[in-house]
Amino acid sequence: MTSYKLVDFKTLGDDRGSLIAIEEGYNTPFAIKRVYYIFDTKKGVERGFHAHINLKQMCIAVKGSCTFILDNSKKKEEITLDNPNQGLFIEGLIWREMKKFSPDCVLVVLASEHYDESDYIRDYQKFKKEVENGKK
Ligand code: T46
């Protein structure tokens, strides 16, 4: 399946501040095998420029903001993450680019698989072909 969507997380707060819990099966639809985070991104930097074959991910800007460009080969959409109570769930063949990182941005990503370079498609034309092949 190929899709992406924004997921709202419930904020559990009291007079000490806020807390959000991410739990497999409740607000994240996959078993989490890996967590990585992107931070200290330099001004003007753009990242991503790839699609994944099988990986499922939940991306959360726990601090600051950044913008994803998501491309399913038919249409492109920009989604800005700027709130720790929202996650961007991405699965399947979606080409992604990330830009406009605020200097304080900490982007946490929960992933369904261990790191595997062979799951990446880093060539846009190859991505388009894979999408076409998937339809046949
Ligand atoms: C994605 C977007 C949202 C590892 O060794 N282990 C890891 O778990 C990851 C994620 C990366 N790396 C290495 C591979 C590269 O040498 O770290 C270096 C930077 O990775 P990359 O250029 O792929 O980073 P981004 O920001 O372009 O993409 C990352 C994820 O790789 C990708 O899966 O969907 O964030």
Side-chain angles (χ1 to χ4, degrees):
M1 188 165 165
T2 294
S3 69
Y4 59 84
K5 65 173 178 186
L6 279 170
V7 176
D8 290 321
F9 301 129
K10 190 176 174 197
T11 304
L12 309 163
D14 55 28
D15 53 10
R16 295 170 298 171
S18 301
L19 184 155
I20 289 173
I22 310 287
E23 293 191 68
E24 173 195 332
Y26 291 118
N27 51 14
T28 291
F30 55 86
I32 299 158
K33 281 201 185 154
R34 175 168 56 108
V35 177
Y36 61 91
Y37 33 99
I38 294 171
F39 59 104
D40 280 351
T41 306
K42 306 297 174 243
K43 201 174 173 205
V45 159
E46 298 188 349
R47 307 187 61 119
F49 297 91
H50 61 258
H52 281 285
I53 300 166
N54 287 315
L55 192 67
K56 296 176 187 169
Q57 299 196 105
M58 183 71 83
C59 310
I60 308 151
V62 294
K63 194 168 168 60
S65 61
C66 66
T67 297
F68 274 72
I69 299 160
L70 300 156
D71 177 346
N72 65 4
S73 140
K74 269 202 190 138
K75 73 172 174 76
K76 281 186 190 187
E77 189 179 0
E78 276 199 17
I79 293 185
T80 295
L81 297 180
D82 58 4
N83 195 325
N85 68 15
Q86 261 196 338
L88 173 63
F89 172 64
I90 310 174
E91 81 178 308
L93 280 172
I94 301 285
W95 185 265
R96 77 228 37 202
E97 300 171 11
M98 298 105 81
K99 62 180 184 180
K100 294 185 194 164
F101 286 86
S102 64
D104 61 344
C105 182
V106 180
L107 178 68
V108 172
V109 183
L110 317 175
S112 64
E113 304 298 333
H114 295 296
Y115 177 71
D116 176 7
E117 187 58 38
S118 70
D119 190 67
Y120 285 71
I121 302 175
R122 294 189 184 271
D123 178 271
Y124 189 73
Q125 293 313 318
K126 191 175 169 212
F127 156 70
K128 300 275 272 188
K129 266 193 203 143
E130 286 291 328
V131 173
E132 282 310 307
N133 290 342
K135 286 183 197 153
K136 285 174 195 161

